[in-house]
Amino acid sequence: MLVSIVVPCYNSEHTIEKLVDLCMEEFDRMEGYECEMVLVNDYSRDHTFEAIRRAAAKYPNVIGVNLAKNFGQHAALMAAFHYVSGELVVGMDDDLQNHPSQIRQFLEKEKEGYDVVFGVFRQRKFSAWKNFTGAVSRFFLWHLMERPEGIQMSSFWLARRYVIEEVKKYKGDSPFIQLLFFRTTHNMANIEIEHYEREEGHSNYTFRKGLKLFLSFMNYTTLPLRLSSIFGVLFSAAGFVGGIIVLIRKLMDPAVAVGWSSLMCAMLVLFGIAFLMLGIIGEYIGRMILSLNKSPQYVVRETLNVQKTAEEGAEDKR
């Protein structure tokens, strides 16, 4: 069985060749499996694509894809999906925190019939700030998105080929691969895996990039709009009831003073909520405009070890 390993690469010139070597060694020890690797350089600022070029020259089953600008991790994965040939696809990071030695666990779990398997880290080896923001985003995503009960998502996963083919059909702006998995199938499982220390550099996810990725969940649900309607009804009702109470109290006791400070607090709260709801609506409208303009998810500048026919097919699907 052929397994395709897809890796989005950004500023990983010191780790990507080691990752490739470890993957090849791991599959050499497994009977019944072969692997190919699709490495997508997301316009790195260092010499990552030169490292990918060396790996592609060393291994004919390594495919290199060089993007024309930085499109983001999930867009790079979408690009990689158009070059895979395996019956199973494994997604992992380029920093060796997702270790190739654990791929065997995914393959064993997949034999139980699951369509998607996510690796859950026993102990996350991120900074305290990233662990905190990750916990907050996971909390909101778990409660805002329709997903199988108890399933946690991560950047280390395995998916069957038919799931990948469905995900490739998504043409909208800001893809979020794990959420596209949830939209495709609920036949999923988690396995516990180790999270290794980063060998080189630091995380390339800034707060702005993380927030942009989190907000992309709006492409897959209308729940925030429904919440806007609910909040609107609740606060309108509260304001109506409060107005009646104030009127009754004034009629019963004309000496009751109407507080300016309490009025201003109420106005600030209500206007703040109103602007929040307008922002949510504006976010949806902006994403609709980007989709109507057919903004590309990615643009391929150069490929390695790719046959021309396969490359043309990927271009047509983009």
Side-chain angles (χ1 to χ4, degrees):
M1 181 180 290
L2 179 63
V3 179
S4 298
I5 302 174
V6 294
V7 185
C9 306
Y10 185 69
N11 294 345
S12 55
E13 64 172 324
H14 300 296
T15 58
I16 191 61
E17 290 181 273
K18 184 176 179 180
L19 175 66
V20 172
D21 289 337
L22 289 172
C23 285
M24 297 303 171
E25 292 171 6
E26 187 65 27
F27 274 88
D28 285 342
R29 292 191 290 266
M30 288 192 287
E31 294 185 4
Y33 291 99
E34 296 179 351
C35 84
E36 69 172 5
M37 298 190 70
V38 183
L39 312 177
V40 181
N41 177 42
D42 192 22
Y43 203 71
S44 300
R45 291 174 293 180
D46 60 6
H47 302 290
T48 296
F49 194 65
E50 283 72 12
I52 293 174
R53 192 185 300 277
R54 290 192 295 270
K58 184 177 180 181
Y59 300 104
N61 56 337
V62 171
I63 295 172
V65 180
N66 193 22
L67 300 186
K69 72 170 192 174
N70 183 259
F71 288 91
Q73 179 185 22
H74 292 255
L77 284 170
M78 288 292 285
F81 291 164
H82 288 86
Y83 295 92
V84 300
S85 305
E87 298 174 54
L88 301 174
V89 179
V90 173
M92 60 193 306
D93 292 336
D94 60 347
D95 53 14
L96 290 174
Q97 289 191 277
N98 300 159
H99 204 273
S101 61
Q102 299 178 98
I103 293 176
R104 186 187 299 266
Q105 299 179 54
F106 287 88
L107 298 175
E108 291 297 324
K109 192 66 176 180
E110 178 273 333
K111 290 179 181 177
E112 298 179 18
Y114 294 106
D115 296 327
V116 177
V117 180
F118 286 113
V120 178
F121 305 126
R122 292 187 179 93
Q123 183 179 1
R124 296 168 63 85
K125 301 294 182 64
F126 294 126
S127 65
W129 172 250
K130 189 170 182 181
N131 282 332
F132 171 73
T133 56
V136 171
S137 64
R138 287 195 301 275
F139 173 82
F140 280 106
L141 289 175
W142 288 349
H143 291 83
L144 290 174
M145 299 300 304
E146 180 185 356
R147 61 181 179 84
E149 186 176 354
I151 293 296
Q152 300 183 48
M153 61 184 185
S154 74
S155 59
F156 200 178
W157 48 262
L158 176 148
R160 292 181 184 269
R161 179 66 179 273
Y162 94 88
V163 175
I164 299 300
E165 292 299 323
E166 288 300 317
V167 169
K168 283 163 56 177
K169 295 177 183 178
Y170 177 76
K171 302 299 181 185
D173 179 64
S174 300
F176 197 138
I177 302 303
Q178 287 83 350
L179 299 187
L180 289 170
F181 287 163
F182 291 154
R183 195 176 72 169
T184 303
T185 179
H186 280 184
N187 184 26
M188 299 179 173
N190 283 139
I191 59 171
E192 277 199 354
I193 59 174
E194 295 295 334
H195 195 211
Y196 287 69
E197 294 283 355
R198 181 183 292 273
E199 294 200 3
E200 294 281 346
H202 55 82
S203 174
N204 293 303
Y205 260 109
T206 62
F207 177 78
R208 185 177 67 85
K209 289 182 178 180
L211 181 62
K212 180 181 178 181
L213 176 62
F214 171 75
L215 291 177
S216 67
F217 83 93
M218 291 184 178
N219 290 355
Y220 311 97
T221 179
T222 58
L223 184 58
L225 291 175
R226 295 173 188 170
L227 290 176
S228 300
S229 301
I230 293 172
F231 276 120
V233 171
L234 289 177
F235 281 94
S236 295
F240 180 74
V241 172
I244 292 177
I245 292 173
V246 170
L247 177 62
I248 292 174
R249 289 185 63 192
K250 190 68 175 176
L251 291 175
M252 293 179 63
D253 185 4
V256 172
V258 179
W260 180 85
S261 58
S262 60
L263 177 63
M264 290 301 299
C265 289
M267 289 180 63
L268 288 173
V269 171
L270 294 177
F271 276 115
I273 293 172
F275 280 115
L276 173 63
M277 300 306 127
L278 286 174
I280 292 174
I281 295 171
E283 188 73 25
Y284 274 101
I285 293 174
R287 295 181 184 278
M288 289 172 59
I289 291 173
L290 290 174
S291 296
L292 290 173
N293 287 340
K294 297 183 178 180
S295 299
Q297 294 174 348
Y298 62 90
V299 177
V300 175
R301 180 182 182 186
E302 181 182 359
T303 59
L304 305 170
N305 289 348
V306 176
Q307 295 181 358
K308 187 176 180 181
T309 54
E311 200 172 29
E312 290 173 348
E315 181 69 28
D316 292 340
K317 292 176 182 177
R318 245 184 358 263

